[in-house]
Amino acid sequence: MSGLLAGKRLLISGVITDASIAFSAAKVAQENGATVVLTGFGRMSLVERIAKRLPEPAPVIELDVTNQEHLTGLADKVREHVDGLDGVVHSIGFAPQSCLGGGFLDAPWEDVATALHISTFSYKSLAMAALPLMGRGGSVVGLTFDATVAWPVYDWMGVAKAGLESANRYLALHLGEKGIRSNLVSAGPLRTMAAKSIPGFEQFEEAWQTRSPLGWDLTDQEPAAKAVCALLSDWFPATTGEVVHVDGGYHAIGA
């Protein structure tokens, strides 16, 4: 076995279709020597079919990150496939339609709470559920969308991502004494299922394609996936609490 992640045991959440960043991360990870276990929720039969499209079919565990029983039982379910974990990927986000598309001022708290629970708090929840399986040198990696500014139509999901970026720093603080890193990859807009649920998403597409210094391919998840895998590897042993931008350089260019 050879590769950047040779011998690594990884838990990857958020695979829904083969257009998802999580799927690409799982694929790159396997190609670089990792053993991968996936989690899915809701459409389990779909996730299981997608898992068979990987270079090596991966087992799928059902996980609702808002269900404490699922979280409590996660470690035991993972142990059915691997004897421990070296890395965890959080690629989970959801917001009710009222929270997107320009409805920032009208979205009710109940919907905002759902967005924050699934998109923000679950980062800590997943990390803690996997913690009994992880030792020193472990890595938790999540996915964000640049939350340093306000984006049109992104609304409460933008707030959730800002919370995620803050939670990443606090997770880095509290897991550091255990030798476990926590980092995020901030990817540019990609035509994933999540993107399709955002009204007006084409505004992001147009901006990125015209202004990214390196250019930007809306259908290529591999650059973000490679960054995720790099952060899961041993090549960033002293990096934690970081947000790595994989967006063609768009974040560095003034409006």
Side-chain angles (χ1 to χ4, degrees):
M1 183 181 294
S2 61
L4 187 68
L5 296 172
K8 297 291 187 184
R9 303 153 299 173
L10 307 178
L11 182 68
I12 298 180
S13 66
V15 173
I16 300 175
T17 72
D18 53 10
S20 64
I21 298 173
F23 177 87
S24 188
K27 179 175 181 290
V28 172
Q30 286 187 341
E31 291 171 345
N32 280 273
T35 298
V36 172
V37 178
L38 305 179
T39 75
F41 173 67
R43 294 178 249 186
M44 291 299 293
S45 60
L46 173 61
V47 179
E48 288 165 356
R49 287 201 303 273
I50 296 300
K52 294 176 182 177
R53 299 180 186 176
L54 289 167
E56 294 289 336
V60 181
I61 297 170
E62 183 175 17
L63 176 64
D64 175 359
V65 288
T66 68
N67 184 319
Q68 189 55 49
E69 288 185 9
H70 282 203
L71 292 165
T72 300
L74 180 63
D76 286 339
K77 289 187 177 296
V78 171
R79 286 191 186 98
E80 295 175 7
H81 306 285
V82 291
D83 59 359
L85 288 175
D86 302 291
V88 176
V89 176
H90 178 281
S91 182
I92 299 170
F94 172 78
Q97 282 299 305
S98 67
C99 295
L100 298 161
F104 182 85
L105 298 179
D106 301 314
W109 165 243
E110 291 77 12
D111 288 352
V112 172
T114 296
L116 295 174
H117 193 174
I118 297 174
S119 307
T120 307
F121 186 75
S122 70
Y123 187 59
K124 188 277 296 188
S125 300
L126 179 60
M128 294 306 295
L131 190 59
L133 299 167
M134 300 182 74
R136 300 191 72 83
S139 176
V140 182
V141 181
L143 289 159
T144 188
F145 187 77
D146 189 3
T148 60
V149 297
W151 298 102
V153 310
Y154 207 46
D155 294 335
W156 285 102
M157 184 57 89
V159 176
K161 291 298 188 184
L164 175 65
E165 293 179 13
S166 182
N168 174 57
R169 292 187 287 270
Y170 279 96
L171 205 59
L173 171 66
H174 291 285
L175 293 184
E177 63 184 19
K178 301 179 185 297
I180 296 172
R181 296 165 285 134
S182 174
N183 295 287
L184 299 178
V185 170
S186 181
L190 293 163
R191 288 178 180 165
T192 62
M193 182 173 289
K196 292 177 181 177
S197 69
I198 303 173
F201 184 77
E202 63 276 1
Q203 296 180 50
F204 297 117
E205 297 182 340
E206 294 166 3
W208 249 264
Q209 287 182 305
T210 57
R211 293 184 54 222
S212 296
L214 292 175
W216 185 248
D217 186 340
L218 298 160
T219 62
D220 186 5
Q221 290 81 20
E222 191 169 274
K226 285 182 174 179
V228 169
C229 289
L231 289 169
L232 289 168
S233 78
D234 296 329
W235 282 88
F236 283 87
T239 298
T240 194
E242 187 61 87
V243 179
V244 177
H245 288 82
V246 183
D247 63 354
Y250 184 98
H251 73 283
I253 306 301

